[in-house]
Amino acid sequence: MSEAIVKFENVSKSYGNRLIVKNLRFSIKKGEFVTVMGRSGSGKTTVLKMINGLIKADSGGIYVYGQDISKCALVPLRRRIGYAVQETALFPHMDAYRNIAYVPHISGWKERDVKARVEELADLMNLPASVLKRYPDELSGGEKQRVGIARALAARPDMMLMDEPFGALDGETRNAVQDELLKIWRRYGTTIFFITHDENEALKLGSRIMEMDKGALKERTERHDG
Amino acid sequence: MIKETAEILFGRWDFFLPLIYEHLEISAAAIIIATAAGLFLGVLISQYKILSPYVLGATNIIYTIPSIALFGFLIPFTGVGNLTAVAALTLYALLPMIRNTYTGIANIPPAVTEAAEGMGSGKIQLLFRIKLPLAMPVIISGLRNMAVMTVALAGIASFIGAGGLGVAIYRGITTNNAAMTLAGSVLIALMAFTADLLLGAAEKAIKKKKYLPLKIASAAAVFLFAALFFTAGDRDGVIKIASKPMTEQFIISEMLKMLIEENTGLKAEITKGIGGGTGNIHPAMLKGEFDMYPEYTGTAWKFVLKHSDNPPDEMMIKTIKEEYEDKFGFRWVSLYGFNNRFGLGVRKELAEKYGLKTYSDLAPYSPGLVFGAEYDFFERDDGYSALSSYYGYNFKSTADMDIGLKYSAVNSGKVDVINLFTTDAMIPVSDIRILEDDRNFFENYHIGTVVRKDTLEKHPELLKALELMDGLISDEEMAAMNYAVEAEKKSDRETAAEFLISKGLLKEAP
């Protein structure tokens, strides 16, 4: 558990003259579940999107799986990183099955393998077969989140980037999907970078808890174990 | 009127069916090309936003050009006929396609495209798997508007010699047959309505996410149109006859076709009623889009050769023939005999009372008479005032009137003298005497066949067939045939056949 999967070296990013990320240095080791808190506008999402190259850094170096992402091809890199965002952003024109199958499809998997993988994930995320045939606007909030997580996991990524994926859920459902996520993390050892507003969520899920403030990521040292 | 329209619709399917087919062909071609090009440009400007004001601006400008003007602009490039029609319709159809594609893509929630990108979609995958499918409802509603507009607008295409149901409308207008015009309009409306219905169903299917039936339907449509285009067939080796939008030209062109097919074994095809007449037919003849058309000496002299004097017939005809050969490589083959010129008509009882035979005879009596003509005649340089000063007329008063009302006005005594064309349909049934232009004020409009020389060289047997028209038709006979078509609603083909049979040039109607 010592290999750094993500490494930021003196990374800065500003919008106009507003400095959002200032000389950021940090790294994520393989298998860590990093939860990140911080006020809105503090730059959490910017950091997350810099990891998969959706946002480019102004200066500094970002290395993912040991590759400098300003130099390597982003499309194959992104396919190795699961991505789940607020409100899930499911594709409205695809049913749940095809949403989950999206990355395997664009990566050119055989249909037989895709089907087996979707069924495996549906089982894992407690999604019955009838739900797989529904379109996003026919799913409940909890079902949408489960589909969103299943979609992010579909191509067996080594790492997942999750930006407040459970923000819109009520307490009970939220608890249930949190437990499912923890189960997956424990079973597969997937590295997770997870942004949340909710301190309880950050403490419950994270193996390492950080806070974004004034352009820097700081370790939260105190832990509330049990 | 409704009854007459229904009779025409059900009674003349052989006339309408090919027009419907051609209308479908022209509109479908424009719709398919505009859809492909519009999608491409819409996608392009949504990827490269810097281009969007230019592309949208340019198509907006095209969209505001009146359709007749756009057809006019295109004729020098694409000629007279279906190609121009398809080009113009495509240009109009571009705007709704581009705009809706662009808007449809721009309105996709950014979170959705970003999620797709963050998961590792390539540019092409993003476009075809996410952007286009999500923009599809907006694109389809643009397609729906565009298709209805194109089907309706294709009706105007016949003004520049294209086929389609506009031919029926235009034929109705030029031969004073309102039921025919209405029948063509009803069919166009039905086609537009059907297109709207089908695309509306497609739109609904997309909203309900029933993609499978939609895929089957669009595959079937593509197959159908492909079949349509491949059966369109080869028209080389067919003699192409053009005609101006006038009843007598329709009848004459039918005669030419019958004489050619009866006597040569060649096939002939008529494009009836090309809007703008000589102005569009002459350039098309030069390009070889048509092989022949009936033309008037007066038009050739003034409009084509741009002479301003008015020499005696023999000299004018000789000069026209020479200049046509030298300048254009066209030959004038035979003159049919009648002369469709401007003329003056007087109510018969007045003519007898004062002994009026010539234009000069009219001058001393003019202060006691009322002169009626259509508005245009009072405006043109070679019209009323030039005529009055040339012959010394001084009419008591003048009256503007619609062409269709002139004859009843003179019959009922509202006016005493009218201007007319010497083969007008109403002459045979009106109580008037046509006076003789003794001092040669109006040009003569003898009519003959203008033929491309290379067509005659390629098919030498044509000459003999075309010469059969020489001196065949008198003013009175032509006026009577015009009357048969305009007032008795006989078809031009039937009228032409009956006449040729009566002259022994045809055994039976084809």
Side-chain angles (χ1 to χ4, degrees):
Chain A
M1 291 261 268
S2 61
E3 190 188 332
I5 277 190
V6 175
K7 203 160 118 193
F8 275 51
E9 281 182 351
N10 297 322
V11 173
S12 295
K13 174 76 191 174
S14 49
Y15 295 112
N17 48 17
R18 222 161 61 87
L19 192 63
I20 294 287
V21 176
K22 194 162 53 180
N23 283 329
L24 181 64
R25 299 173 60 103
F26 91 104
S27 55
I28 303 171
K29 292 193 189 74
K30 190 172 179 352
E32 279 188 314
F33 194 140
V34 180
T35 52
V36 180
M37 288 183 295
R39 285 176 298 106
S40 44
S42 61
K44 312 182 292 287
T45 300
T46 302
V47 170
L48 181 139
K49 285 182 180 171
M50 284 198 287
I51 296 175
N52 65 3
L54 285 174
I55 293 177
K56 308 256 176 290
D58 294 338
S59 61
I62 300 170
Y63 303 87
V64 178
Y65 301 130
Q67 289 173 289
D68 181 346
I69 67 157
S70 66
K71 290 182 183 124
C72 71
L74 287 173
V75 168
L77 181 82
R78 285 172 180 158
R79 288 189 189 158
R80 293 174 61 193
I81 306 173
Y83 186 47
V85 293
Q86 217 167 3
E87 308 283 327
T88 73
L90 294 180
F91 304 132
H93 59 302
M94 297 180 187
D95 60 16
Y97 178 97
R98 299 220 306 131
N99 260 287
I100 297 171
Y102 184 74
V103 182
H105 272 153
I106 62 171
S107 311
W109 287 26
K110 287 201 187 82
E111 195 54 46
R112 185 162 36 98
D113 299 338
V114 175
K115 187 161 181 279
R117 179 63 178 157
V118 174
E119 276 163 8
E120 184 188 346
L121 287 164
D123 195 41
L124 190 71
M125 300 303 302
N126 292 319
L127 291 165
S130 63
V131 170
L132 292 182
K133 287 191 201 113
R134 293 199 207 134
Y135 285 88
D137 56 4
E138 301 161 332
L139 297 174
S140 72
E143 287 164 344
K144 277 186 202 169
Q145 301 305 324
R146 290 187 173 91
V147 172
I149 296 173
R151 181 175 69 170
L153 285 168
R156 298 192 182 89
D158 309 300
M159 170 167 53
M160 298 239 280
L161 302 176
M162 307 183 86
D163 191 354
E164 297 197 52
F166 308 146
L169 295 184
D170 62 88
E172 207 175 317
T173 323
R174 194 168 179 153
N175 250 323
V177 287
Q178 283 170 350
D179 291 341
E180 275 151 13
L181 185 62
L182 274 176
K183 193 170 77 185
I184 287 159
W185 175 61
R186 289 193 185 111
R187 190 183 297 177
Y188 299 106
T190 314
T191 311
I192 298 176
F193 186 85
F194 188 106
I195 290 177
T196 176
H197 258 104
D198 179 352
E199 184 160 10
N200 290 328
E201 185 169 70
L203 297 177
K204 173 178 174 185
L205 296 176
S207 67
R208 181 178 168 204
I209 298 133
M210 301 185 92
E211 188 159 0
M212 187 90 196
D213 188 31
K214 296 191 182 104
L217 264 178
K218 290 182 187 120
E219 255 7 272
R220 286 264 297 245
T221 42
E222 77 276 28
R223 288 223 41 174
H224 301 260
D225 286 303
Chain B
M1 182 59 129
I2 291 170
K3 193 170 153 257
E4 283 168 32
T5 307
E7 273 170 16
I8 284 193
L9 269 179
F10 292 111
R12 296 190 52 188
W13 265 114
D14 57 328
F15 171 68
F16 285 110
L17 217 53
L19 294 184
I20 292 175
Y21 183 81
E22 210 171 2
H23 201 97
L24 198 65
E25 206 174 47
I26 293 170
S27 336
I31 290 170
I32 289 170
I33 298 169
T35 304
L39 273 174
F40 175 77
L41 287 170
V43 167
L44 189 78
I45 62 175
S46 71
Q47 303 283 88
Y48 304 97
K49 291 221 163 49
I50 190 164
L51 295 174
S52 70
Y54 303 103
V55 173
L56 286 173
T59 42
N60 249 321
I61 290 171
I62 293 173
Y63 203 64
T64 59
I65 301 174
S67 42
I68 293 282
L70 184 59
F71 284 128
F73 292 148
L74 287 173
I75 286 174
F77 305 105
T78 46
V80 167
N82 290 359
L83 187 61
T84 301
V86 171
L89 294 175
T90 304
L91 283 174
Y92 279 121
L94 274 180
L95 180 67
M97 275 319 287
I98 295 176
R99 199 169 44 194
N100 281 46
T101 306
Y102 179 69
T103 316
I105 290 176
N107 286 347
I108 299 170
V112 171
T113 41
E114 200 179 68
E117 214 183 330
M119 283 184 262
S121 313
K123 273 205 155 126
I124 303 288
Q125 288 170 332
L126 195 61
L127 181 64
F128 283 99
R129 289 175 185 258
I130 308 291
K131 287 184 177 175
L132 280 180
L134 284 176
M136 206 41 84
V138 184
I139 296 176
I140 289 276
S141 79
L143 174 65
R144 193 174 162 187
N145 282 337
M146 177 271 261
V148 171
M149 181 192 83
T150 304
V151 169
L153 205 57
I156 301 177
S158 66
F159 282 72
I160 46 111
L165 286 163
V167 169
I169 294 180
Y170 206 31
R171 181 87 66 91
I173 293 172
T174 46
T175 61
N176 193 23
N177 185 346
M180 173 73 90
T181 303
L182 191 61
S185 313
V186 166
L187 288 175
I188 290 180
L190 275 177
M191 279 179 71
F193 184 69
T194 312
D196 190 49
L197 219 61
L198 289 175
L199 288 166
E203 207 177 342
K204 223 179 223 165
I206 285 187
K207 282 208 181 106
K208 287 191 177 162
K209 306 192 174 72
K210 289 188 176 145
Y211 297 112
L212 186 68
L214 200 66
K215 279 179 189 164
I216 296 170
S218 41
V222 167
F223 179 76
L224 195 76
F225 288 133
L228 209 68
F229 284 115
F230 287 115
T231 54
D234 169 35
R235 295 202 175 108
D236 279 353
V238 173
I239 303 297
K240 297 185 201 84
I241 306 171
S243 79
K244 305 188 195 189
M246 297 164 65
T247 307
E248 77 186 21
Q249 289 250 340
F250 296 162
I251 301 171
I252 297 289
S253 55
E254 288 289 357
M255 287 186 191
L256 291 174
K257 176 177 155 83
M258 287 172 201
L259 289 176
I260 290 169
E261 292 182 348
E262 176 84 2
N263 296 293
T264 66
L266 290 165
K267 279 264 162 218
E269 184 185 84
I270 306 169
T271 304
K272 274 185 190 169
I274 293 171
T278 304
N280 285 327
I281 299 175
H282 184 75
M285 285 278 293
L286 286 172
K287 280 194 191 162
E289 287 171 33
F290 296 117
D291 296 301
M292 63 180 73
Y293 78 109
E295 181 59 289
Y296 303 92
T297 53
T299 310
W301 184 254
K302 278 175 71 173
F303 185 81
V304 179
L305 299 171
K306 315 257 187 240
H307 293 295
S308 52
D309 54 338
N310 186 11
D313 271 0
E314 215 173 302
M315 218 184 99
M316 186 195 278
I317 292 168
K318 187 168 166 277
T319 315
I320 288 175
K321 284 187 172 177
E322 284 168 8
E323 293 191 7
Y324 262 67
E325 288 230 25
D326 294 347
K327 288 189 178 164
F328 313 128
F330 298 167
R331 276 191 60 187
W332 280 72
V333 180
S334 69
L335 293 174
Y336 311 150
F338 67 90
N339 179 6
N340 185 9
R341 67 199 307 217
F342 271 118
L344 294 181
V346 189
R347 198 164 50 254
K348 214 171 247 165
E349 45 137 326
L350 277 179
E352 276 160 15
K353 190 167 144 200
Y354 300 133
L356 304 174
K357 292 212 168 75
T358 66
Y359 286 25
S360 301
D361 294 345
L362 189 60
Y365 299 101
S366 62
L369 301 174
V370 180
F371 183 87
E374 68 278 359
Y375 159 81
D376 181 51
F377 190 70
F378 294 108
E379 287 294 312
R380 49 192 295 166
D381 294 340
D382 55 351
Y384 180 73
S385 27
L387 174 74
S388 299
S389 64
Y390 192 76
Y391 277 107
Y393 295 154
N394 182 21
F395 287 103
K396 186 167 72 182
S397 64
T398 61
D400 286 9
M401 49 187 60
D402 190 79
I403 290 186
L405 298 176
K406 275 189 315 199
Y407 287 92
S408 59
V410 78
N411 286 342
S412 66
K414 251 198 212 152
V415 298
D416 305 303
V417 186
I418 55 170
N419 80 322
L420 46 73
F421 289 102
T422 46
T423 58
D424 276 349
M426 295 305 290
I427 293 173
V429 290
S430 299
D431 228 7
I432 56 169
R433 176 180 291 173
I434 296 172
L435 302 178
E436 193 200 327
D437 187 2
D438 51 327
R439 286 175 49 211
N440 221 15
F441 175 76
F442 291 117
E443 289 90 7
N444 278 318
Y445 283 72
H446 298 292
I447 176 169
T449 314
V450 174
V451 195
R452 285 175 58 90
K453 255 164 62 179
D454 60 359
T455 307
L456 286 174
E457 279 155 19
K458 208 163 139 197
H459 307 288
E461 67 273 32
L462 268 178
L463 190 63
K464 257 191 143 173
L466 296 176
E467 278 172 349
L468 292 170
M469 291 290 287
D470 200 51
L472 188 70
I473 310 168
S474 68
D475 284 4
E476 293 73 25
E477 285 169 327
M478 193 65 245
M481 284 190 274
N482 284 338
Y483 182 80
V485 172
E486 287 185 24
E488 294 172 345
K489 309 292 177 213
K490 271 199 195 169
S491 80
D492 36 30
R493 185 182 308 186
E494 199 184 337
T495 308
E498 276 173 17
F499 182 80
L500 290 181
I501 291 167
S502 77
K503 295 282 178 180
L505 293 174
L506 201 66
K507 283 181 212 71
E508 55 191 35

